[in-house]
Amino acid sequence: MFRRHILFSILLFSVIVSGYSFRDLDWLKHESEHFVYIYHDEVAGSISRIEEIAENTFLGLTELFGNPFRGKISILIGGYEDRSNGLANPIMESIYIMTIGLDYPYRNDGFWLEEVITHELSHLFQMTATTPVGNFLRNYFSRLYLPNALQPMWFTEGFAQLGSELIGDLYEYDYRRLPFLWDQLDKEDSFLEETVVSGYSGIGGEAYYNYGYAFLTFLYETYGFESVQELIKVKSGILGFAGVEVAFRMVYEKSYEELKAEFIEIQTHRWMEVVEPTINRFSQKIGEFVSHFRPKTYSGGLYYLAYDREMRCYSLYREGAEILNSTMEILDFSVFENEIALLVFEREVSETRLYFFREGKLERTKHAHLLGIDFLGKDRLVVLKNNFGIPSVEILSLRNERITPIFESSAGAEMQIDNLRASLDGTLVAFRINILGSKYLALYSSIDENLNLFEVTEDFSIGSWTADGFLVSIQNGVGSSIYLLTPGGKMSGQASFARYVREPARTKDGLVAAGQFHGNKLLQASDAKPADFELDAIEIDFHSAEPVEGTKYDGFANWKFISPIPYKGLSVLFTDLTFHNKLITGGSFNFETMQPGLHIELISEDYTPVDFALSVAFSDLRPQASLDAYRQYRINPKLSFGWRTRFEYPLRVSGSVNAILQDSSALYGGQASLETLINIRDTQTATSNLVDVSINVDFDWKKGGFTIDSTIFSRVTFGADPSVVPVEMWNFRDTSNIVVGLSVSSEYAVSRRGINLLNLVHLSEEGVGARVDLLIGSRFSWRLALYKFETAYLYAAYPLAIKIGVMLQNMKPLPYFEFRLLY
């Protein structure tokens, strides 16, 4: 009896000593007239500014488009993340925002916090706008009623950016965006649906942000703001489910294709005299889907990063020769002697981490949450760190781990720091500061520990160090001018670029910089030198925001009705304001036994220290109940372990531990990924005790349009009755002591067609595939399927993979159908 409970004792102990994670921070709540703010204490200093922006935005959008909301909008706020972003959830009538802003290369660089709040609230106003009848349906029947959400992604994102411009003049189609427009106008088939709906382009999903904003701005400027209001009004009714085509014809009496042709004609005439840039020799042979960016120089050699968008691999090059390839996202790097420091985004744990590349091997360090790095000589790095939403510049000694602070953002989310650079001798550090949209160049001298700030009136980017100073690119109309910045603030004109570039570097071929020309490339500067000028040092009075004292947020006391859903018959879904806790209740009817069924479920994920699912049901006049508690712990990006306990009535108790190993790398010219899951489970019922061990290995490989997916499964039980834990895979079921399985599928993408059906459904990648599934236990089960697959974008452009074909299952011919949401 004692041995039976050893496993549960271990699981209980792991709960007690569970390590720190983001969920362990206390959630707080603060309310204003139209909003509820859910946040952690670490970002409390930003709440007052967020409240001011949100309320002003609400008033502006209400004046322009009306107020579709019955209750308060929820704003979830995070700070200890390393990939700043925002997300609108029209079903929840909530937005999620980060208080750390990054310097996006394809968007104008204003006050990040104001831009993200206005952008996401514009999403909510547009997608939740409905007629009076629609408001009744949303409030009392289903929040899934969203006729305005049935539209291409370019319309969704374009409207959000236009909304930000209309209410606060926050956006503009500036010189950072123009290169994409010029590149598309240079093609015979400009702005293909594949580009502006699915983001199949050299700049990925930024394409539909870019085009959508430009096209809707054209409508606004050409046909007046009233036409945009009418467009939203038409889409808010039942005709909204017909997509944007019907709305365009009703408002403009023209089809989308006719309006698009007008837009292209106007833009072509406007930009017909645009000068094409000169491509550096290292970028001349690369295609649109390979991006060269972030050039840096060391000891006379040019280093730069590359991203293969189709392979999803990052590479580091020196003078055109690849020295490192990784499937992990490389954000920044620095070179000193025979060492390369790398800043890598570990997507699995959503944080950045410092790595070193030494003697052909990557070494992971303990230093995390960094936004920028550069060597300061031997064994020293200057780093830009994210301290719970507060960016700071620090010197890190690699010998003794000593930290020397240089500058910290006392203004909280009002200040953005990026573009960190250091001189080769380690005496100077330069970085860019953005305060409420105004930009400053900071120059720190480690000799006298002095920090000077220089205001720069135009957008700029700091590049590599030369023998005399830092190279800086500054906006000059639709192009960029390159200057040499000396420690005293003198700007000496060096060269010019015909379009926007960033992070200039001096090479033996001349000045190069990262710029967009049919994808990101290294561009070459012209000999045109801008005039010299001098920056004046200024003083800025930084102020610390007073933190808002919120009340404790209880995710189990703040429920919001969502919708009826077809789940176990018919159910009703409620969630808390964070969407981490869900309550589902409903009923069903068994027409065979003529008995009703009732159920209620409470599910919590990423909110409490332990995830759980509680279910109580009454089916066929018999009560049933279960409680699952589980948690997964990430050790590093490749390895995690977890546990799960389950209690059921009628009596059944189980507990399990697992280990998961994940890895990916380039293999034979393609990208391979491997995931291995080992699970050990102990199950007890009123009459038996059973232990089972299972191993599941998934191996995938893809190159271009060809993919191979495979799964190998095995399960062994130790006990008298293996039917207690049956194996159910690929529609097969087996109750043997030893069960093995194999699944192999192969697909080939024939084309990317870009077919658009009335702007309701966009068919993208298509192809053919085959799969075979085998399960061997007490009997041999198999199936062979041949199918055709389609990738369809619909309902806010979320893609579905749809597979339709035929199969033989144990010699029986059957239809084969499968679909899944791709993200």
Side-chain angles (χ1 to χ4, degrees):
M1 184 69 176
F2 174 75
R3 283 180 296 179
R4 289 187 177 185
H5 296 284
I6 289 179
L7 179 59
F8 298 105
S9 299
I10 294 173
L11 296 177
L12 180 62
F13 178 75
S14 70
V15 175
I16 297 173
V17 300
S18 61
Y20 172 84
S21 73
F22 191 70
R23 75 173 81 207
D24 297 318
L25 299 173
D26 290 330
W27 288 96
L28 301 175
K29 181 173 73 170
H30 171 70
E31 296 192 41
S32 63
E33 184 178 358
H34 299 105
F35 296 93
V36 179
Y37 310 89
I38 312 296
Y39 61 98
H40 297 306
D41 189 55
E42 285 71 18
V43 297
S46 303
I47 302 303
S48 57
R49 170 62 76 170
I50 292 172
E51 177 182 337
E52 177 187 356
I53 297 171
E55 288 292 348
N56 289 337
T57 302
F58 186 93
L59 294 176
L61 288 172
T62 298
E63 183 178 347
L64 293 176
F65 304 107
N67 178 9
F69 307 101
R70 184 179 63 148
K72 293 185 178 182
I73 299 171
S74 303
I75 300 182
L76 279 67
I77 304 156
Y80 204 36
E81 308 276 352
D82 294 302
R83 302 295 282 168
S84 65
N85 211 338
L87 178 68
N89 187 336
I91 297 172
M92 287 289 297
E93 295 184 354
S94 69
I95 65 173
Y96 178 66
I97 62 172
M98 308 304 301
T99 57
I100 284 285
L102 293 182
D103 178 23
Y104 283 92
Y106 310 111
R107 307 181 197 177
N108 65 300
D109 189 44
F111 176 25
W112 159 256
L113 202 56
E114 192 169 26
E115 288 181 350
V116 70
I117 291 173
T118 56
H119 181 100
E120 303 306 337
L121 287 180
S122 294
H123 274 317
L124 284 193
F125 270 79
Q126 191 258 323
M127 285 193 284
T128 60
T130 56
T131 62
V133 173
N135 286 335
F136 178 83
L137 293 174
R138 271 190 58 80
N139 292 327
Y140 300 104
F141 179 71
S142 176
R143 293 183 183 270
L144 297 175
Y145 180 82
L146 292 167
N148 253 313
L150 192 58
Q151 59 199 16
M153 189 62 88
W154 62 260
F155 191 98
T156 300
E157 297 300 344
F159 183 87
Q161 299 193 60
L162 178 63
S164 291
E165 178 183 338
L166 292 175
I167 65 170
D169 196 23
L170 301 176
Y171 275 111
E172 58 178 330
Y173 205 91
D174 69 347
Y175 84 133
R176 288 192 176 201
R177 301 173 185 266
L178 281 171
F180 170 76
L181 180 69
W182 297 337
D183 287 348
Q184 288 295 312
L185 295 175
D186 193 39
K187 297 180 178 181
E188 291 184 7
D189 46 2
S190 306
F191 306 107
L192 289 174
E193 296 299 292
E194 274 288 79
T195 299
V196 301
V197 174
S198 65
Y200 187 69
S201 72
I203 61 172
E206 285 292 332
Y208 44 75
Y209 283 81
N210 209 318
Y211 167 73
Y213 181 29
F215 181 74
L216 289 176
T217 300
F218 148 75
L219 294 180
Y220 161 61
E221 293 178 344
T222 306
Y223 295 96
F225 173 68
E226 293 77 12
S227 72
V228 177
Q229 287 180 306
E230 184 64 21
L231 192 63
I232 302 304
K233 182 179 178 181
V234 171
K235 290 186 82 283
S236 299
I238 194 69
L239 291 177
F241 289 107
V244 296
E245 185 66 40
V246 172
F248 280 139
R249 289 187 179 276
M250 290 184 66
V251 175
Y252 300 104
E253 297 182 351
K254 297 177 182 178
S255 69
Y256 164 62
E257 289 300 328
E258 291 173 322
L259 291 168
K260 181 178 175 181
E262 278 186 29
F263 163 75
I264 292 174
E265 182 180 2
I266 290 174
Q267 298 296 339
T268 301
H269 180 76
R270 180 180 180 186
W271 301 110
M272 60 190 309
E273 302 298 330
V274 169
V275 178
E276 287 194 356
T278 302
I279 304 175
N280 180 265
R281 60 191 175 99
F282 294 126
S283 288
Q284 287 177 354
K285 294 183 180 180
I286 69 169
E288 180 181 0
F289 293 93
V290 176
S291 298
H292 286 174
F293 62 100
R294 189 144 290 176
K296 291 186 177 183
T297 55
Y298 177 76
S299 189
L302 175 65
Y303 294 78
Y304 55 90
L305 289 172
Y307 176 55
D308 189 321
R309 190 170 295 278
E310 293 184 313
M311 284 286 296
R312 298 184 181 181
C313 287
Y314 286 80
S315 300
L316 180 63
Y317 284 84
R318 184 186 187 278
E319 298 289 325
E322 184 183 74
I323 57 178
L324 170 67
N325 180 280
S326 175
T327 56
M328 294 188 293
E329 183 178 354
I330 303 174
L331 301 179
D332 200 0
F333 73 95
S334 184
V335 182
F336 188 81
E337 294 180 350
N338 60 345
E339 288 193 335
I340 300 176
L342 298 160
L343 193 58
V344 174
F345 179 57
E346 298 179 342
R347 190 171 302 277
E348 299 81 2
V349 289
S350 188
E351 68 180 30
T352 58
R353 187 167 294 269
L354 177 65
Y355 282 70
F356 285 99
F357 185 62
R358 299 179 174 123
E359 298 179 352
K361 296 182 179 179
L362 273 176
E363 299 177 10
R364 187 174 185 263
T365 74
K366 66 179 182 180
H367 302 289
H369 306 292
L370 306 180
L371 305 175
I373 56 172
D374 215 7
F375 268 111
L376 270 175
K378 184 71 173 176
D379 295 327
R380 290 200 311 160
L381 282 172
V382 58
V383 300
L384 173 58
K385 189 173 178 61
N386 174 13
N387 296 302
F388 282 98
I390 305 297
S392 64
V393 180
E394 304 171 351
I395 296 175
L396 169 63
S397 172
L398 301 174
R399 288 183 178 179
N400 54 21
E401 306 295 329
R402 180 183 175 184
I403 300 294
T404 304
I406 292 179
F407 180 78
E408 181 175 275
S409 169
S410 59
E414 296 181 354
M415 181 183 296
Q416 175 184 335
I417 304 175
D418 52 52
N419 212 187
L420 185 68
R421 292 292 183 269
S423 62
L424 289 181
D425 60 5
T427 60
L428 291 172
V429 175
F431 51 95
R432 199 180 72 142
I433 300 176
N434 181 331
I435 306 176
L436 302 177
S438 298
K439 289 125 182 136
Y440 304 87
L441 195 157
L443 201 58
Y444 172 81
S445 171
S446 61
I447 298 176
D448 53 12
E449 298 183 349
N450 184 42
L451 178 70
N452 287 321
L453 295 178
F454 305 93
E455 184 173 12
V456 184
T457 56
E458 300 292 343
D459 187 26
F460 72 94
S461 172
I462 306 171
S464 295
W465 169 262
T466 71
D468 302 311
F470 291 101
L471 291 171
V472 180
S473 64
I474 299 181
Q475 178 181 2
N476 182 10
V478 296
S480 299
S481 295
I482 308 301
Y483 296 86
L484 181 68
L485 168 68
T486 65
K490 183 179 179 180
M491 302 288 281
S492 175
Q494 303 293 300
S496 297
F497 286 85
R499 58 182 61 193
Y500 160 62
V501 296
R502 51 196 292 133
E503 301 170 288
R506 188 183 299 279
T507 70
K508 57 187 176 184
D509 297 327
L511 285 169
V512 301
Q516 186 184 331
F517 182 68
H518 302 295
N520 274 340
K521 292 182 171 62
L522 303 180
L523 303 181
Q524 198 81 31
S526 70
D527 294 330
K529 291 186 177 182
D532 299 349
F533 67 97
E534 192 162 342
L535 296 173
D536 295 324
I538 63 171
E539 292 186 3
I540 301 176
D541 183 21
F542 299 109
H543 67 280
S544 299
E546 290 294 327
V548 171
E549 294 185 7
T551 59
K552 183 175 176 58
Y553 172 73
D554 184 355
F556 300 107
N558 293 267
W559 295 104
K560 177 181 285 190
F561 164 74
I562 300 298
S563 176
I565 55 175
Y567 175 74
K568 293 184 179 180
L570 181 63
S571 302
V572 180
L573 172 65
F574 300 85
T575 75
D576 79 313
L577 301 183
T578 68
F579 207 63
H580 289 180
N581 304 311
K582 302 172 185 65
L583 182 66
I584 303 173
T585 181
S588 61
F589 190 83
N590 189 329
F591 288 95
E592 293 183 2
T593 63
M594 301 303 289
Q595 298 292 338
L598 301 173
H599 67 92
I600 182 170
E601 298 180 24
L602 177 63
I603 304 167
S604 178
E605 295 179 338
D606 296 324
Y607 178 76
T608 59
V610 174
D611 298 327
F612 69 85
L614 174 64
S615 175
V616 179
F618 189 79
S619 178
D620 294 338
L621 302 180
R622 291 176 299 183
Q624 296 174 336
S626 66
L627 172 63
D628 282 272
Y630 49 96
R631 180 80 183 263
Q632 200 74 25
Y633 303 89
R634 178 69 62 174
I635 306 303
N636 59 49
K638 298 181 180 180
L639 179 63
S640 68
F641 79 93
W643 58 266
R644 175 182 287 267
T645 60
R646 182 177 177 86
F647 302 87
E648 297 179 64
Y649 177 83
L651 182 60
R652 179 186 174 110
V653 181
S654 64
S656 65
V657 292
N658 68 71
I660 301 176
L661 176 65
Q662 298 171 296
D663 200 2
S664 61
S665 63
L667 181 68
Y668 297 118
Q671 183 185 128
S673 61
L674 176 71
E675 179 176 313
T676 301
L677 168 64
I678 302 174
N679 190 72
I680 304 173
R681 177 175 53 182
D682 179 80
T683 305
Q684 299 184 49
T685 68
T687 59
S688 63
N689 180 42
L690 194 75
V691 175
D692 69 297
V693 180
S694 64
I695 300 176
N696 197 90
V697 180
D698 289 328
F699 175 78
D700 305 329
W701 182 83
K702 62 177 61 179
K703 179 180 180 181
F706 183 70
T707 63
I708 296 176
D709 295 336
S710 63
T711 299
I712 300 175
F713 171 81
S714 63
R715 197 283 305 272
V716 178
T717 64
F718 303 91
D721 186 10
S723 64
V724 172
V725 285
V727 172
E728 296 178 334
M729 297 186 73
W730 311 309
N731 295 327
F732 303 139
R733 178 184 171 91
D734 202 287
T735 58
S736 304
N737 285 88
I738 300 177
V739 181
V740 295
L742 171 67
S743 176
V744 179
S745 64
S746 178
E747 295 180 352
Y748 180 72
V750 176
S751 70
R752 303 187 70 100
R753 296 171 304 173
I755 295 178
N756 190 7
L757 304 178
L758 301 176
N759 283 298
L760 284 172
V761 178
H762 165 65
L763 298 178
S764 177
E765 191 176 63
E766 62 148 350
V768 293
R771 69 176 296 168
V772 58
D773 301 315
L774 310 173
L775 196 65
I776 305 173
S778 59
R779 61 180 184 143
F780 177 56
S781 301
W782 64 276
R783 68 176 181 178
L784 173 66
L786 300 174
Y787 57 86
K788 187 178 188 301
F789 70 85
E790 296 278 357
T791 307
Y793 288 75
L794 72 167
Y795 205 71
Y798 293 116
L800 286 171
I802 304 172
K803 302 176 182 179
I804 302 176
V806 296
M807 68 177 175
L808 281 177
Q809 182 167 310
N810 298 326
M811 295 305 296
K812 182 179 181 180
L814 294 170
Y816 178 78
F817 177 74
E818 180 185 349
F819 72 92
R820 64 187 177 94
L821 191 65
L822 295 181
Y823 63 80

